[in-house]
Amino acid sequence: LQESEARLRSIYEAVSDAIFVIDPHADRIVEVNPRASTLLGFSRQELCGMRISAIHPKERELLNDIANKMVTTGHSRDDGFTCRKKDERHIPVEISFSPLQLKGRNLVLAMVRDITERKEREAALENMVVDAQEAQARIEAQAAELVAQAESLAQARDAAVSAAAAKSDFLANMSHELRTPLNGMLGFAELIEQESLGPIGHERYAEFIKIIGQSGRHLLTVINDILDYSKIEAGKLELDPVAFDLSQVADSTVMLLE
């Protein structure tokens, strides 16, 4: 028996968790192991006889309820407690309660484990989850904004394409409407210039008719250039290289400006 008690005492003193033997009816700590002193900073003499509420001031009623239930219902475990250390700091702990019969007394064996690091990891994990959720919300908001911008750009592109098509149609129609009467003017001017129906009658008229013909042809070139701009925008312009007399073009230009 003595050997068994010695073995139990060795286990009791060597276990890594703090062990408290408490009397829930008297609200007193009956016995502790060395780990309990290390955990809270109190000596064994200070802890033995101390009120339970002295180290669990925030959970006194809950602790008493659980301890009283352990006398009749059996084991229980809870990680929602804190313990007050001698330096007044409070640490989160997990407590396992078991009923204990000792010398005819109904006591409770409380095994207390410091879960500060676990709580810190849980808090860090919760912060990471919150950060991830916030990052996801930002990404989703940015994605929605990009979709809205893409839709806006698509609408602007469609509007620009429609406007360009309308402009090209307008220029083509306008050029056609201008070239039709202009070609008629140029044709009659050429007939008069060639005196097809007889002499003009005055040499100045011949010069005027020549200027009219040149001006008309210049205007026709401008109209054709306008059509070429439309073709350039549509990517349909085809180059047609032709030979020309530069001095004649220069003379014609001077004559138009005189």
Side-chain angles (χ1 to χ4, degrees):
L1 181 61
Q2 290 180 348
E3 182 180 350
S4 177
E5 289 180 354
R7 187 180 302 109
L8 290 175
R9 172 61 66 176
S10 298
I11 296 173
Y12 176 76
E13 292 181 353
V15 69
S16 61
D17 291 336
I19 296 178
F20 295 79
V21 177
I22 60 178
D23 185 343
H25 302 290
D27 186 24
R28 296 288 180 180
I29 299 173
V30 176
E31 185 59 83
V32 297
N33 69 343
R35 175 59 182 162
S37 297
T38 303
L39 177 66
L40 300 181
F42 294 99
S43 67
R44 176 180 176 277
Q45 291 74 19
E46 290 174 319
L47 287 172
C48 291
M50 182 181 292
R51 288 186 175 277
I52 302 170
S53 56
I55 59 173
H56 293 285
K58 295 183 179 181
E59 300 93 359
R60 178 178 178 180
E61 293 182 2
L62 178 61
L63 181 66
N64 287 338
D65 289 342
I66 293 176
N68 288 328
K69 290 178 182 178
M70 288 308 96
V71 175
T72 56
T73 60
H75 302 275
S76 178
R77 176 177 293 180
D78 197 296
D79 63 356
F81 289 104
T82 60
C83 279
R84 182 181 66 84
K85 295 169 66 73
K86 190 172 184 178
D87 60 8
E88 300 298 330
R89 290 186 297 120
H90 288 77
I91 59 172
V93 294
E94 178 185 78
I95 304 179
S96 297
F97 296 96
S98 300
L100 177 66
Q101 290 285 335
L102 185 63
K103 296 180 181 180
R105 300 169 63 186
N106 292 324
L107 305 176
V108 173
L109 180 69
M111 298 188 67
V112 181
R113 177 172 298 176
D114 184 357
I115 56 172
T116 300
E117 292 185 359
R118 191 178 85 186
K119 290 293 185 180
E120 289 176 349
R121 289 194 299 268
E122 290 175 354
L125 181 59
E126 290 177 359
N127 290 335
M128 290 174 63
V129 170
V130 171
D131 292 342
Q133 290 174 341
E134 291 177 350
Q136 182 179 1
R138 289 195 297 270
I139 291 172
E140 290 176 352
Q142 291 174 355
E145 184 178 353
L146 289 175
V147 169
Q149 291 179 354
E151 291 177 351
S152 178
L153 290 174
Q155 293 175 356
R157 179 203 61 200
D158 293 342
V161 170
S162 298
K167 182 179 70 173
S168 297
D169 291 342
F170 169 76
L171 291 176
N173 293 332
M174 181 195 69
S175 299
H176 175 73
E177 295 298 327
L178 290 175
R179 281 192 297 183
T180 299
L182 183 58
N183 285 329
M185 294 170 57
L186 291 175
F188 282 109
E190 186 176 354
L191 289 175
I192 295 174
E193 185 179 358
Q194 294 175 357
E195 298 181 352
S196 299
L197 300 179
I200 295 176
H202 196 289
E203 61 180 10
R204 291 289 291 171
Y205 287 159
E207 184 179 349
F208 294 161
I209 288 300
K210 186 176 181 180
I211 293 174
I212 291 173
Q214 291 176 343
S215 300
R217 284 188 291 273
H218 176 71
L219 180 57
L220 183 60
T221 300
V222 172
I223 293 172
N224 289 331
D225 289 343
I226 293 175
L227 284 178
D228 288 341
Y229 292 146
S230 299
K231 291 180 180 179
I232 291 172
E233 290 180 348
K236 297 180 180 180
L237 179 65
E238 296 180 2
L239 298 179
D240 184 18
V242 294
F244 67 96
D245 188 338
L246 180 60
S247 61
Q248 182 180 357
V249 172
D251 292 341
S252 300
T253 303
V254 172
M255 184 176 296
L256 287 174
L257 296 177
E258 287 179 349

